[in-house]
Amino acid sequence: MPTAYIVDAVRTAGGRRGGRLAGVHPVDLLAKSLDAIVERSGVDPKAIDDVVTGCVSQAGEQAMQVARMGVLASKLLPQSTPAVTIDRQCGSSQQAIQFAAQAVMSGTQDIVIASGVESMTRVPMGTNATFHMKEGLGHYKSPGLEEKYPGIQFSQFMGAEMIAKKHDFSKDMLDQFSLDSHKKAIAATEAGAFDSEIVPIEIDTPEGEEMHRVDEGIRFDVTLEGIAGVKLLAPDGRVTAASASQICDGSSAVLVVSEEALKAHGLTPLARIHNLTVTAGDPVIMLEEPLFATDRALERAGMKIEDIDLYEVNEAFAPVPMAWLKHTGADPDKLNLHGGAIALGHPLGASGTKLMATLVHALRRHGKKYGLQTMCEGGGVANVTIIEAL
């Protein structure tokens, strides 16, 4: 089967809710990453076969096929470039990578941009459903679904609490994990570890125009005491907003190509895609599926967890990567080396390609070979992608 290569991977620095990227329309935010991946790679824009974009809240400014709108808003892509928007919840743009790779590996396409966008400020999480409910236009839970899951409202917050209790993670343990995420992100930022992946975005501020190039969610003055003082999300719970991913605005993109395209366009790959896996399980505990998806991916790849040099496990909530470490027996020093979504933010549909940008560049920065990326997704689904740095 043909090999799929990653030529480049970029992301914007995250913006807090109502923060530095709040004034940027999500279509234009996506276009920034699309243009950056084209410009940095040097690929002929007319040669791009497709753009696959992950986006979760496809409503309002992210409605009307946001991938296509992003292409049309792009300064470099011609209007002849096709595009499609997909929703696999938090794994949407990781699935975009996998769809792009599958297209290349099947031989049906040669150059595909996988991407993602989410402005959680301008299109708040869940409003694509709640606005319809408020208007009396129905609920996603059908009679057939209610019959199978009576009285259950699928909740990521509830799933996080269930995982914490199942694995006996105390609030103190979750708080410490959260502190470590910020400390790693601070160290990475100060060392310039993100410079090779971040696309600077010009923004308007009260002081004038500036370039946004530092993740806004990182708390550079973080303390364990400050994290411990954040109130619980549930009265008898263990998870707080400080041990959950931050609401975030951002976009990201990964260029996936065939070997033939490398030769024809003189492109230099950063990595090759080694394995693509997606699995699904319990939709109630929901966020635990990365554990079992990783087992499946390693089995299919003929690898052991020890063979992997770096892991990116999305920090939707601290219990998720903590349970993943416990289940896999992975080395915690290889996990989210430059921090995770607790510090850097989780821009939903953009997170999959965002994490891949961080993973690819971290592998090359540290001279490592194999990387594994996984994330929990609404409905009890999880993607795993294994790459090999070149």
Side-chain angles (χ1 to χ4, degrees):
M1 183 177 293
T3 300
Y5 294 90
I6 292 174
V7 171
D8 208 345
V10 301
R11 69 177 181 90
T12 65
R16 285 186 185 176
R17 177 170 55 183
R20 289 169 64 83
L21 292 180
V24 184
H25 193 291
V27 168
D28 294 332
L29 191 59
L30 172 60
K32 295 290 186 182
S33 285
L34 297 179
D35 284 343
I37 202 79
V38 171
E39 183 174 15
R40 285 178 34 151
S41 66
V43 69
D44 179 358
K46 295 179 181 178
I48 293 168
D49 292 304
D50 206 354
V51 173
V52 186
T53 301
C55 183
V56 174
S57 298
Q58 296 180 33
E61 294 181 356
Q62 293 174 172
M64 298 300 292
Q65 230 277 64
V66 69
R68 177 60 175 162
M69 298 300 107
V71 166
L72 296 178
S74 162
K75 294 179 180 179
L76 298 180
L77 293 173
Q79 68 177 11
S80 58
T81 308
V84 63
T85 309
I86 61 170
D87 174 10
R88 204 189 280 278
Q89 296 292 278
C90 298
S92 295
S93 56
Q94 185 170 356
Q95 185 61 55
I97 295 169
Q98 298 196 180
F99 279 155
Q102 287 166 347
V104 166
M105 293 163 72
S106 72
T108 56
Q109 294 178 327
D110 287 302
I111 304 176
V112 183
I113 297 177
S115 57
V117 66
E118 205 83 36
S119 176
M120 298 180 73
T121 294
R122 299 170 73 109
V123 187
M125 181 170 59
T127 50
N128 53 335
T130 57
F131 277 173
H132 288 77
M133 295 178 200
K134 290 176 182 177
E135 293 298 320
L137 298 176
H139 192 281
Y140 72 87
K141 202 171 185 190
S142 70
L145 192 56
E146 177 64 27
E147 184 178 349
K148 291 186 68 175
Y149 299 94
I152 293 174
Q153 295 298 317
F154 301 114
S155 165
Q156 295 188 37
F157 302 102
M158 181 179 70
E161 290 288 1
M162 291 172 70
I163 292 172
K165 291 174 182 175
K166 176 178 178 178
H167 293 274
D168 198 24
F169 298 140
S170 67
K171 179 181 179 297
D172 289 346
M173 294 168 70
L174 305 183
D175 289 345
Q176 183 62 54
F177 185 93
S178 304
L179 176 68
D180 292 343
S181 181
H182 281 279
K183 284 186 171 181
K184 288 188 284 187
I186 292 167
T189 300
E190 292 177 344
F194 295 131
D195 292 352
S196 59
E197 68 197 59
I198 286 181
V199 178
I201 301 289
E202 188 176 280
I203 59 170
D204 293 322
T205 73
E207 292 75 34
E209 290 186 348
E210 292 182 11
M211 299 305 290
H212 176 61
R213 59 178 82 242
V214 176
D215 292 289
E216 193 179 7
I218 304 171
R219 300 187 183 278
F220 288 88
D221 59 350
V222 67
T223 64
L224 186 59
E225 293 74 21
I227 288 175
V230 178
K231 68 179 182 178
L232 295 166
L233 295 177
D236 60 343
R238 307 179 188 191
V239 177
T240 71
S243 54
S245 55
Q246 291 189 40
I247 289 173
C248 183
D249 304 332
S251 69
S252 50
V254 174
L255 184 63
V256 181
V257 310
S258 67
E259 188 168 359
E260 290 75 11
L262 290 177
K263 297 174 182 176
H265 296 270
L267 304 172
T268 302
L270 300 183
R272 75 178 182 91
I273 294 177
H274 195 65
N275 176 266
L276 308 169
T277 296
V278 60
T279 68
D282 186 344
V284 180
I285 196 169
M286 191 182 297
L287 310 180
E288 201 177 30
E289 191 59 22
L291 284 59
F292 317 119
T294 298
D295 292 341
R296 176 66 173 147
L298 291 172
E299 177 187 359
R300 293 181 65 196
M303 304 177 76
K304 297 180 180 179
I305 194 66
E306 295 82 11
D307 298 327
I308 308 296
D309 297 301
L310 293 179
Y311 326 118
E312 281 291 330
V313 181
N314 193 39
E315 295 174 1
F317 298 88
V320 178
M322 291 172 66
W324 184 89
L325 281 172
K326 179 181 175 183
H327 176 82
T328 60
D331 182 350
D333 291 337
K334 298 179 179 180
L335 174 70
N336 300 349
L337 191 64
H338 295 158
I342 288 171
L344 300 168
H346 176 19
L348 299 184
S351 285
T353 35
K354 174 183 181 292
L355 264 62
M356 184 57 74
T358 297
L359 180 58
V360 167
H361 291 288
L363 285 168
R364 291 174 60 83
R365 179 181 178 86
H366 297 283
K368 303 298 182 181
K369 187 174 184 180
Y370 288 110
L372 182 149
Q373 174 186 332
T374 186
M375 56 208 316
C376 55
E377 301 156 11
V381 182
N383 284 74
V384 178
T385 311
I386 299 174
I387 64 169
E388 178 184 357
L390 299 174

